Amino acid sequence: MLGIVFTSLIDMLEEKVSPEFADDVIMEAGLENDGAYTAVGYYPFEQMQRLLGVLVEKTGKSTNELLYDFGYYLFGKLGAVHGDVLANTEGMLDMLEHLDGDIHVQVKQLYPDADLPRFTVISRTDNTMRLQYYSKRELYPLAEGLMDAAAAHYHCTLERETHQLDTPHTYEFSISLV
């Protein structure tokens, strides 16, 4: 998993709670690298799972709630670091439509080892989209948070339904801009 995801999670914990809380989470997770992450590094997904496990215990929130909150926060971090990528899109649905064909291609150039989710546009109108999401990591709540933060970034209101499909690790988002 990309280092920027880990550094952003630690930043979120420090900003939203406290640096001491972030340190406690890292220590309780018992990570081999003691939470020493770089934004350009690549780390095992299991470390994220361990951090989330500690956060579930400490906050009482579900993993899905935590992933959503983190996705919302992460959009701001990614937008700040890769603002040029967002600048090439004309709106929320345009950005989602170009995830795999443009944005993820650019991310792969920067991070060749990245195991990114796949997004496939099933259908699109001016104000709606059906988007298929696939990831072996089952991080669809993180994607929902990213989408809601993107809607806020583009100054629009989003309605979304999420359905798990019969294909393993695959979800469909039905999105409407209102």
Side-chain angles (χ1 to χ4, degrees), residues 72 75 92 95 146-158 177:
Y72 199 97
F75 181 86
M92 169 74 186
M95 186 267 307
L146 286 164
M147 282 188 255
D148 287 353
H153 172 80
Y154 288 105
H155 308 291
C156 59
T157 303
L158 174 73
L177 300 180

Side-chain angles (χ1 to χ4, degrees), residues 62-175:
S62 71
T63 301
N64 286 352
E65 289 174 299
L66 292 166
L67 284 170
Y68 174 87
D69 292 347
F70 177 52
Y72 199 97
Y73 179 87
L74 182 60
F75 181 86
K77 287 291 191 176
L78 295 175
V81 174
H82 302 291
D84 55 325
V85 174
L86 293 177
N88 294 329
T89 60
E90 295 185 22
M92 169 74 186
L93 297 180
D94 188 47
M95 186 267 307
L96 290 174
E97 187 172 19
H98 292 94
L99 273 172
D100 273 359
D102 182 26
I103 296 171
H104 279 176
V105 170
Q106 292 182 40
V107 171
K108 283 292 242 181
Q109 289 174 347
L110 296 170
Y111 308 102
D113 294 333
D115 182 15
L116 301 172
R118 287 194 310 259
F119 292 89
T120 305
V121 176
I122 305 300
S123 65
R124 179 181 175 187
T125 68
D126 288 343
N127 295 316
T128 65
M129 177 181 281
R130 286 181 44 232
L131 185 67
Q132 192 174 85
Y133 166 88
Y134 171 83
S135 173
K136 290 182 282 184
R137 296 180 175 146
E138 299 284 335
L139 297 177
Y140 71 91
L142 187 135
E144 291 174 328
L146 286 164
M147 282 188 255
D148 287 353
H153 172 80
Y154 288 105
H155 308 291
C156 59
T157 303
L158 174 73
E159 289 182 356
R160 179 192 54 258
E161 291 183 18
T162 304
H163 303 282
Q164 185 172 10
L165 302 180
D166 291 335
T167 306
H169 316 295
T170 307
Y171 296 81
E172 184 176 301
F173 300 118
S174 296
I175 302 163

Side-chain angles (χ1 to χ4, degrees), residues 31-59:
L31 305 172
E32 294 79 18
N33 65 349
D34 296 322
Y37 299 108
T38 65
V40 296
Y42 195 79
Y43 304 94
F45 178 62
E46 294 75 28
Q47 289 190 14
M48 180 61 66
Q49 292 172 308
R50 288 164 59 187
L51 290 167
L52 285 169
V54 172
L55 284 169
V56 166
E57 290 177 23
K58 287 185 145 321
T59 66

Side-chain angles (χ1 to χ4, degrees), residues 9-11 13-15 17-31 34-36 51 54-55 58:
L9 177 62
I10 302 306
D11 288 347
L13 297 177
E14 290 175 348
E15 289 175 28
V17 184
S18 72
E20 294 78 20
F21 180 79
D23 288 344
D24 289 347
V25 169
I26 291 167
M27 295 309 293
E28 287 182 36
L31 305 172
D34 296 322
L51 290 167
V54 172
L55 284 169
K58 287 185 145 321

